[in-house]
Amino acid sequence: AQSVAQPEDQVNVAEGNPLTVKCTYSVSGNPYLFWYVQYPNRGLQFLLKYITGDNLVKGSYGFEAEFNKSQTSFHLKKPSALVSDSALYFCAVRSTGGGNKLTFGTGTQLKVEL
Amino acid sequence: GAVVSQHPSRVICKSGTSVKIECRSLDFQATTMFWYRQFPKQSLMLMATSNEGSKATYEQGVEKDKFLINHASLTLSTLTVTSAHPEDSSFYICSARDPETRPGNTEAFFGQGTRLTVV
């Protein structure tokens, strides 16, 4: 069985400061890893993914994430947060071993304040 | 990226009635679509996998007679909540992947979600 853990329900950061949203995963075989963002009463928007290759992945809106196989982590980062980044962020994993199921973490509410 | 459109975005219905939610892939064909349910401040729970031309695959604990799924074409899947009750009130989201020929290797695209309120 595959699973995703997002240990922080909420992350608060001041605008202009760097932000990190944590994610760890468990999967059989190699993982496909994804980050999505959700604004209130909206569907999920894709931010970035790790499939293979460089461990540092760059995505939309200045976000990036680092795949760390030994720590089974895929933390989301941004060097300088904006108030408009405030939203709900989901980490997700799919096994390369087959199957279509995408397993989500519980989500982390990011709040960026002036 | 690929576009998935979901309709309606909001619906209010009376207890005992049925509600149909549509999910369309606008610029690609999707033999498989996914239906999720999201409770307030919680993650997405996969309800079922919708397969074009065949029966949907339901997750454990999801009532197939309650949540009817039809995937009649390569661009349309529908979820019908039958005999709705207040506890069915939730946010329902569909998704699909493109292209389907690379299973597991591409991100899923999501509809904008449907807020169902049963009164």
Side-chain angles (χ1 to χ4, degrees):
Chain A
Q2 55 195 40
S3 65
V4 176
Q6 291 180 244
E8 303 154 316
D9 290 338
Q10 182 161 322
V11 169
N12 297 321
V13 65
E15 188 174 53
N17 284 358
L19 69 87
T20 299
V21 182
K22 296 179 181 178
C23 170
T24 58
Y25 66 91
S26 174
V27 69
S28 298
N30 293 319
Y32 295 134
L33 293 158
F34 307 87
W35 275 101
Y36 288 88
V37 59
Q38 184 181 34
Y39 295 95
N41 292 309
R42 302 297 300 273
L44 275 66
Q45 296 178 30
F46 169 74
L47 277 180
L48 51 79
K49 64 182 177 183
Y50 171 81
I51 302 298
T52 187
D54 290 340
N55 290 339
L56 184 64
V57 177
K58 293 186 182 298
S60 306
Y61 312 119
F63 284 94
E64 58 188 32
E66 186 166 10
F67 171 62
N68 187 315
K69 188 172 183 178
S70 63
Q71 297 185 5
T72 61
S73 67
F74 190 56
H75 301 330
L76 181 70
K77 299 182 179 184
K78 187 173 182 180
S80 179
L82 298 172
V83 172
S84 57
D85 292 331
S86 299
L88 186 59
Y89 290 80
F90 288 100
C91 181
V93 67
R94 178 186 295 126
S95 171
T96 62
N100 284 320
K101 288 187 181 181
L102 192 61
T103 300
F104 287 89
T106 49
T108 299
Q109 184 70 48
L110 173 66
K111 188 173 182 181
V112 182
E113 299 168 311
L114 290 170
Chain B
V3 178
V4 175
S5 177
Q6 191 173 337
H7 178 80
S9 57
R10 289 178 178 271
V11 58
I12 301 173
C13 70
K14 292 184 177 181
S15 290
T17 62
S18 295
V19 174
K20 180 185 285 187
I21 302 170
E22 293 186 347
C23 181
R24 294 180 185 273
S25 56
L26 297 186
D27 52 359
F28 67 100
Q29 293 183 333
T31 57
T32 305
M33 292 186 178
F34 305 90
W35 287 97
Y36 295 85
R37 183 173 179 176
Q38 186 180 27
F39 292 98
K41 298 185 179 181
Q42 294 190 26
S43 188
L44 281 73
M45 180 192 78
L46 180 64
M47 298 175 64
T49 302
S50 171
N51 303 299
E52 188 269 335
S54 64
K55 292 182 179 180
T57 304
Y58 289 83
E59 295 300 301
Q60 191 172 8
V62 177
E63 300 176 61
K64 58 184 67 177
D65 295 330
K66 174 76 170 174
F67 299 100
L68 299 179
I69 291 173
N70 183 277
H71 195 151
S73 78
L74 287 170
T75 59
L76 174 63
S77 175
T78 61
L79 168 67
T80 301
V81 182
T82 63
S83 186
H85 290 283
E87 56 264 31
D88 298 326
S89 299
S90 192
F91 195 58
Y92 294 87
I93 309 176
C94 69
S95 79
R97 287 192 291 120
D98 173 44
E100 298 248 333
T101 53
R102 291 188 293 157
N105 199 27
T106 60
E107 61 273 24
F109 293 93
F110 288 79
Q112 58 267 58
T114 297
R115 173 71 61 191
L116 171 62
T117 303
V118 184
V119 298

